[in-house]
Amino acid sequence: MSGKNEIDDFAGLLRRHRLAAGLSQEELAEKAGLSSDAVAALERGRRRAPRPLTVRMLATALNLSEQDFAVFTESLRRSPSGYAPQLQGPPLPPDTLIGRAAELTELTSLLGHGGVRLVTLTGLGGVGKSRLAVAVSNGVGRQFEAGVCWVPLAARPDGPEVTDAVAAAVGLRLASDAAEVDALAEHIGSRRMLIVLDNCEHVVETCAWLCTVLLQRCPRLTILATSRELLRAPGEVVRQVQPLAVPPSRAAPEEIRDADAVRMFLARAAAHGVHPRDERLLQVSRVCRSVQGIPLAIELAAARVNVLTIEQIADELDSSSRILSGGSRTAPLRQQTIDAALDWSYNLLSSEEQEFFEAASTFSGGWTLSAAVAVFCGEVTDACHERVLDLTGRLIDKSLILVDRDATEARYSMFSVIRQYAGRRLDDGGRRATIEQRHLLHYVELAEQTEGNLGTDQQGATLQRLDTELDNLRVALGRAISRELSAESMRLAAALWRYFSLRGHYSEGRDWLESALRIARAGPEPVAEPALAAALRGAGFLAFLQCEYGVATDRLEEALDIYRRLDDPDGAARTLRHLGSVARERAEYDRSHQLHLESLQLYQQQGDRAGIAWARHYLGFVSWLRMDLQRARDYSEAALSYFQQAGDGEGITWSQINLGCVALYDGDLAGAERLLHQSLGRAQRLGFREGVGWSLNQLGVVARRQGRLERSIHLLDESLAEHQELGDKWRSASVLEALAAVAQQHDNTGQAAFLLGAASAVRDTIGAPVPLCERPDTEVTTSAVRDKLGERAFAHAWGAGQATPLHAVADGYPPDDSLSTLDAPW
C-alpha cells in the first residue's frame, strides 16, 4: 500500500487500512479508543478535520509503518481542511416588511448585544414569525462574522432529520443519526454564528435538545427559532409575535391609513391592481378588524379583491372565515388557506388537546379557568381542575389560546379565525350539543349566584364581572331561546334583568324575558311559578323603564297575584314597589304612595332592612314630586342612612338625587348642586346610567335657576341624550321642558315653543302628565312664549315640535330652518 503512486484522501485510506487489517468499524473504534460513530463519520468524509491525536490513535490501532503513517498524514492535506462552510443563508424577502419596527429593534438588540443566545419567536400560524425572522437575520448578519445560517424545518417529518438539516445548512454532510451532533458541534466550534431554525413546532423536542447541546458546546453560537410552541430549552427568551395593529372602530381616515394592518391590506390589494379610495377605508378597516390583524388572513382577504368589493369581503368575514383561501400557489400548502394553517397546528395536538381546543370554541368573549372546567368536564373536581389547567397551559404554549393576566383572575380567549376553525372541528366530532349545554348551565348558575350581590357593597364588582361575561351570557341566552329550553331561558333571563336595567339595556333585557315567557307558556311542561313570577316582574319593570305603562302594569299585577298565591311576601313587596313607580310617573300620587306603604309594611313584617330602606326611598321620591318636601326629606334621609351603612351604591345615588331635588325646590341651590354632583360622580363610577341621566337633568335645572344658562344647556343636552338612549320617555319630556325654559330665558322663544311641542307629543304618547313639582316652571314658560310669539307663530313652532320624533329632537332641534324667522339662532 505504501508503494501506491496516487495518494488517496484520508477517508479512502482509512477504509483501505481498516479492511486490510481485517477490522470492522466497531473493532477499529474499540482498539483506538474512539466511538464507532466517529470512525464511520471519518470514513464517509463527514468529519474532514480530525484532531492530530485522533489520527495518531487510529494509526496505532492499525499498526501502520512510518511510511504508511506519513502517507496517511499527507492525505489530510489533500482533504478539505479548516472551516470553510457553504452556509445556507436566509431567504431574500419577497416584499417590504410592513410594521414590526419595535420588534426589529428589540430583537436586533437581543441577538447582537444583549447577551441572549436563544430567542424563540412564537405565535399562531400566519402571524408572520418567519417573515420577521428573515428581516431580523438579514439585519444582524454583519454582527456574526461566521455568517447567518437559515434552517427550514417545515418539511422535516421527524426529529432525527433536524440534525441533518442543520448540518446541511452549515455545510457539513451528516447521516441521519442524532449522535452526529458531536461532529456538528465540532464543525461550528467557537465561531460567531447565528443559526435560524424556522418552523420548529412539529419537531419541538428534538429542536430543544439540539439547541441545548449546541449552545453548551459552541460558546459563540446564537440561535433564533420560530415555533408555534415554546421550545422550553435552558436560556430560552420568548417573544410572542402579535398581529398587526388595527385601527379603532371610530378612527379618522388618516389614522386608518397609518395602521399597519390597513397598510398591508392596501399593499396586497395594489398587487392585484386595486387601489381603494379614501371613502373605502372604513371598509378596509372592517376587514382588518374582522381578521384581528393576522397578516396571513389579511393577505388572503386582499386576494379576494379581484372578485369581490371590499364591502362584500367585510360582510363575508362578519359571519365566516371561509373566504380566506386562494393564497399564493408558491406558498407552502399550510399557508394557502387559514384552515390549512390551522390544520398544521391541530394535527400536532394530542386527542385530549384537540377535544379541549374544540370545547373552548363555545365561549364568546373569553373565559376563566373555572368556566373551562365546567364546560370541558361537566363537573367540578380537583382532578378536572388540574387536567384543564394543564391543557390550557399546553394550548397557550402552542399559540392556540391567548391569556390576559391584567386582572386578578387570568382570562383566556382565541383569535376569531381560530375560534371559528375550532367550532367547525367541534361540529365534525359531533359533540356540540353536549358542550353547549354545559356552557349554558354554567352561565345560568353564574347569573343566579351573582344576582344576589346587586344592591350590596359588592354591586360594583358584580356589574364588572357581568360586563366581562356579557358575550357568554348573550350566547347562552340565545341558545336557550333558540332551542326553546323553557327552564334554562326563564332562569337566565330572570337572573339578568336587573343587570340589564342598571346598565341601561332595557330593550335587550325585556326582549330576552318576553321570549322566555313565550316559550314557557307554549311548552308542554308547566312552568315553576316562582320562576314565572320573577320573569314577569322583570319584564314589567323594564317595560316601566321604557314608559310602556299598560304592559308594565299587566306584567306586574300578574306577578303580584302569583307571589300572593305562593305566600311570598318578599316577591310581593318588590312588585308593589314597581307598581308604585308606574303610578308615580302617571302622576297618580295617592295610589303610588299607598302602594309603597303596602310594600313598606311587608318589609317591616319580615324585618328586611334593605327592603325598608328602598320603600322609604320611593316614598320620598313620590313626596318631592308632589311638593311634600318635609316628608320627602325625612324618608330620603332615613333611606340614605341605611344605604351608607350597607354600602349600597345605587341606593346612595338615588337618596342623594332625592335630597338634591328637595333642596332645589326648597330654594337651596348650593345644597342641591352639592348633593347632585355627589350623585352624578357615584353614578358615573358605578356605570349606573339612569342615575347619571337624572343627576344631569336636575343639575341643569339648578344651573338655570342660578342664571348660568350656557352651563344649563350643556347639562340638559347631556341628560337628554342619556335618557333618549335609555328609552326613558317620561324623563326625556321633562328635560325638553327644562330646555324650553332655558330657551325662553335666552329670548329664543321659537326654540322654546318647538321644545314644548316636542315634550307634549312625548307625554301624549306615554300618557304621563307633567310632574306636579315641574308644572309651575312649564306653565310660566308656555305663557311667556305664547305671549311673545302670538298664537299663530306659537302654534306653528309648537306643531313643528309635536311632529318631530324624539330621536330627531335629541339629535338637534329644530330639524330645519322653519323657525329661524321667529327669533335669533340659539
Side-chain angles (χ1 to χ4, degrees):
M1 189 176 298
S2 60
K4 275 179 64 77
N5 293 325
E6 180 182 335
I7 300 179
D8 290 332
D9 66 10
F10 180 80
L13 276 176
L14 177 60
R15 184 172 185 276
R16 203 180 290 269
H17 284 304
R18 177 179 63 77
L19 293 175
L23 298 173
S24 66
Q25 288 182 347
E26 291 77 8
E27 290 168 336
L28 175 58
E30 185 177 355
K31 289 187 66 176
L34 301 172
S35 70
S36 58
D37 290 327
V39 173
L42 288 168
E43 284 194 4
R44 294 172 189 167
R46 299 197 308 273
R47 291 183 63 182
R48 298 177 179 175
R51 298 184 181 92
L53 178 59
T54 300
V55 176
R56 173 63 65 182
M57 292 167 67
L58 285 168
T60 300
L62 290 167
N63 197 26
L64 297 183
S65 65
E66 287 298 324
Q67 183 180 4
D68 285 340
F69 179 69
V71 173
F72 197 47
T73 305
E74 177 66 21
S75 69
L76 285 172
R77 287 193 285 272
R78 295 173 56 85
S79 302
S81 59
Y83 184 74
Q86 295 180 350
L87 295 184
Q88 179 174 293
L92 293 174
D95 44 44
T96 302
L97 181 67
I98 294 175
R100 307 298 191 195
E103 294 95 326
L104 277 170
T105 300
E106 183 194 18
L107 291 167
T108 299
S109 176
L110 277 176
L111 295 171
H113 312 291
V116 175
R117 300 183 61 210
L118 174 60
V119 175
T120 300
L121 300 181
T122 189
L124 75 156
V127 80
K129 301 181 295 295
S130 298
R131 183 65 182 83
L132 178 58
V134 169
V136 171
S137 56
N138 283 323
V140 301
R142 293 183 180 179
Q143 301 179 41
F144 294 89
E145 62 267 18
V148 176
C149 178
W150 185 272
V151 186
L153 296 176
R156 301 287 156 182
D158 50 42
E161 293 193 15
V162 172
T163 308
D164 287 348
V166 176
V170 300
L172 178 65
R173 182 180 175 188
L174 290 175
S176 297
D177 188 339
E180 295 304 332
V181 72
D182 294 338
L184 180 58
E186 184 177 337
H187 193 67
I188 295 171
S190 61
R191 291 158 180 82
R192 182 162 169 74
M193 176 188 294
L194 173 65
I195 293 178
V196 183
L197 303 178
D198 187 37
N199 290 114
C200 300
E201 54 272 354
H202 59 304
V203 284
V204 67
E205 293 183 1
T206 301
C207 287
W209 168 79
L210 182 61
C211 288
T212 301
V213 173
L214 291 180
L215 290 171
Q216 287 174 347
R217 298 180 57 178
C218 306
R220 301 181 70 201
L221 174 66
T222 300
I223 298 175
L224 173 64
T226 74
S227 178
R228 301 185 191 186
E229 182 175 357
L230 308 187
L231 300 188
R232 296 196 176 280
E236 179 184 27
V237 172
V238 178
R239 290 295 180 268
Q240 188 169 47
V241 181
Q242 299 292 342
L244 295 175
V246 299
S249 57
R250 296 185 179 180
E254 59 274 12
E255 190 178 359
I256 294 175
R257 191 175 284 279
D258 288 342
D260 289 338
V262 172
R263 290 172 56 213
M264 171 171 273
F265 184 94
L266 294 176
R268 300 302 181 261
H272 292 274
V274 176
H275 303 273
R277 297 187 300 275
D278 283 353
E279 58 265 30
R280 291 288 181 268
L281 287 179
L282 283 175
Q283 301 303 323
V284 174
S285 180
R286 273 184 65 203
V287 171
C288 293
R289 287 198 304 276
S290 291
V291 299
Q292 296 177 286
I294 299 171
L296 175 59
I298 292 172
E299 293 202 28
L300 295 172
R304 291 299 187 185
V305 297
N306 63 332
V307 290
L308 297 173
T309 67
I310 298 173
E311 288 88 345
Q312 286 176 305
I313 295 172
D315 290 342
E316 289 279 347
L317 288 171
D318 281 344
S319 58
S320 173
S321 62
R322 291 288 194 180
I323 68 166
L324 299 180
S325 61
S328 169
R329 289 191 180 93
T330 62
L333 288 176
R334 70 181 189 283
Q335 293 181 359
Q336 291 185 12
T337 69
I338 282 293
D339 275 11
L342 293 171
D343 282 342
W344 175 262
S345 292
Y346 181 83
N347 292 331
L348 295 173
L349 302 178
S350 68
S351 59
E352 186 178 42
E353 289 170 342
Q354 289 176 347
E355 289 180 358
F356 182 70
F357 173 64
E358 294 163 5
S361 70
T362 198
F363 293 106
S364 180
W367 67 91
T368 61
L369 189 64
S370 59
V373 171
V375 170
F376 183 61
C377 298
E379 58 180 353
V380 180
T381 64
D382 290 343
C384 187
H385 182 275
E386 292 302 319
R387 183 178 165 207
V388 169
L389 180 63
D390 179 56
L391 288 167
T392 301
R394 284 191 242 164
L395 293 190
I396 290 171
D397 286 350
K398 296 175 191 295
S399 305
L400 292 172
I401 285 179
L402 304 173
V403 57
D404 180 358
R405 304 178 186 86
D406 289 342
T408 55
E409 182 178 22
R411 192 164 182 84
Y412 311 97
S413 62
M414 288 178 173
F415 286 110
S416 60
V417 293
I418 295 181
R419 179 171 173 257
Q420 290 178 32
Y421 174 88
R424 292 193 288 274
R425 286 290 191 169
L426 183 62
D427 287 331
D428 294 342
R431 298 166 54 242
R432 178 173 291 280
T434 298
I435 295 298
E436 288 187 347
Q437 183 65 14
R438 292 175 183 172
H439 178 279
L440 171 59
L441 291 176
H442 172 73
Y443 285 101
V444 169
E445 292 171 2
L446 173 68
E448 290 178 337
Q449 290 165 4
T450 56
E451 181 190 19
N453 293 329
L454 299 177
T456 71
D457 57 356
Q458 298 298 311
Q459 178 166 301
T462 300
L463 288 173
Q464 289 178 7
R465 183 178 184 188
L466 293 172
D467 287 342
T468 303
E469 295 293 359
L470 185 54
D471 286 343
N472 278 311
L473 293 165
R474 283 170 170 159
V475 165
L477 277 163
R479 287 170 181 158
I481 298 295
S482 65
R483 295 174 187 173
E484 298 191 345
L485 302 174
S486 59
E488 290 88 345
S489 59
M490 184 78 76
R491 288 172 61 193
L492 188 52
L496 287 174
W497 72 260
R498 190 163 179 209
Y499 163 77
F500 285 125
S501 74
L502 289 168
R503 284 301 192 230
H505 305 312
Y506 302 161
S507 293
E508 180 181 1
R510 186 177 165 200
D511 287 345
W512 290 123
L513 281 164
E514 292 292 353
S515 295
L517 287 167
R518 173 183 53 78
I519 292 167
R521 285 169 164 159
E525 300 295 327
V527 182
E529 286 202 317
L532 178 60
L536 286 165
R537 182 168 67 87
F541 184 73
L542 291 171
F544 153 70
L545 290 174
Q546 293 181 296
C547 304
E548 295 188 26
Y549 303 126
V551 175
T553 301
D554 290 344
R555 297 288 183 272
L556 291 169
E557 287 182 345
E558 187 177 354
L560 182 61
D561 287 343
I562 296 173
Y563 284 127
R564 284 173 169 164
R565 188 163 61 247
L566 293 172
D567 193 20
D568 181 347
D570 180 67
R574 291 172 185 269
T575 308
L576 286 165
R577 195 166 83 195
H578 301 330
L579 284 166
S581 294
V582 174
R584 179 190 71 238
E585 292 196 1
R586 284 177 155 175
E588 298 170 354
Y589 299 124
D590 289 343
R591 172 172 165 75
S592 177
H593 190 266
Q594 183 58 40
L595 288 165
H596 287 307
L597 279 178
E598 289 183 45
S599 176
L600 175 62
Q601 290 165 3
L602 287 173
Y603 284 129
Q604 288 172 331
Q605 290 169 11
Q606 299 171 76
D608 184 343
R609 295 182 63 209
I612 292 168
W614 277 106
R616 286 173 172 163
H617 153 69
Y618 283 108
L619 285 164
F621 198 165
V622 175
S623 296
W624 70 257
L625 282 171
R626 70 196 303 184
M627 291 299 289
D628 187 351
L629 299 183
Q630 185 56 52
R631 186 174 290 181
R633 182 180 290 109
D634 292 343
Y635 279 133
S636 298
E637 286 178 347
L640 177 61
S641 177
Y642 171 79
F643 291 141
Q644 288 175 329
Q645 292 173 20
D648 186 337
E650 182 190 352
I652 294 170
T653 301
W654 270 125
S655 294
Q656 289 170 335
I657 291 171
N658 276 0
L659 290 169
C661 291
V662 169
L664 164 64
Y665 290 106
D666 207 23
D668 179 9
L669 299 184
E673 186 172 28
R674 175 179 54 80
L675 286 161
L676 292 166
H677 270 303
Q678 291 175 359
S679 68
L680 176 61
R682 188 178 301 276
Q684 289 172 330
R685 290 192 298 274
L686 291 173
F688 177 31
R689 294 182 63 190
E690 189 181 11
V692 170
W694 264 94
S695 300
L696 289 167
N697 174 186
Q698 300 306 319
L699 280 168
V701 176
V702 169
R704 181 183 66 78
R705 293 196 176 193
Q706 291 172 331
R708 303 157 70 189
L709 300 186
E710 297 302 327
R711 174 169 173 75
S712 178
I713 292 170
H714 172 71
L715 291 165
L716 293 170
D717 275 346
E718 284 194 51
S719 178
L720 180 61
E722 193 73 38
H723 286 299
Q724 196 270 337
E725 190 171 331
L726 288 172
D728 186 343
K729 300 180 182 67
W730 180 66
R731 196 57 357 214
S732 294
S734 287
V735 177
L736 289 174
E737 287 153 353
L739 279 165
V742 179
Q744 186 270 324
Q745 287 184 252
H746 232 301
D747 288 329
N748 291 294
T749 46
Q751 290 279 10
F754 172 84
L755 292 167
L756 289 169
S760 175
V762 173
R763 293 198 179 282
D764 288 344
T765 300
I766 64 176
V770 179
L772 184 63
C773 61
E774 296 172 1
R775 288 178 195 172
D777 282 349
T778 302
E779 290 170 355
V780 166
T781 301
T782 304
S783 177
V785 171
R786 178 181 278 111
D787 288 346
K788 184 166 184 179
L789 288 178
E791 284 299 332
R792 183 175 178 182
F794 178 81
H796 171 64
W798 176 282
Q802 283 211 312
T804 303
L806 177 58
H807 68 84
V809 177
D811 289 341
Y813 37 81
D816 54 39
D817 297 328
S818 62
L819 306 182
S820 61
T821 58
L822 298 179
D823 45 42
W826 192 356

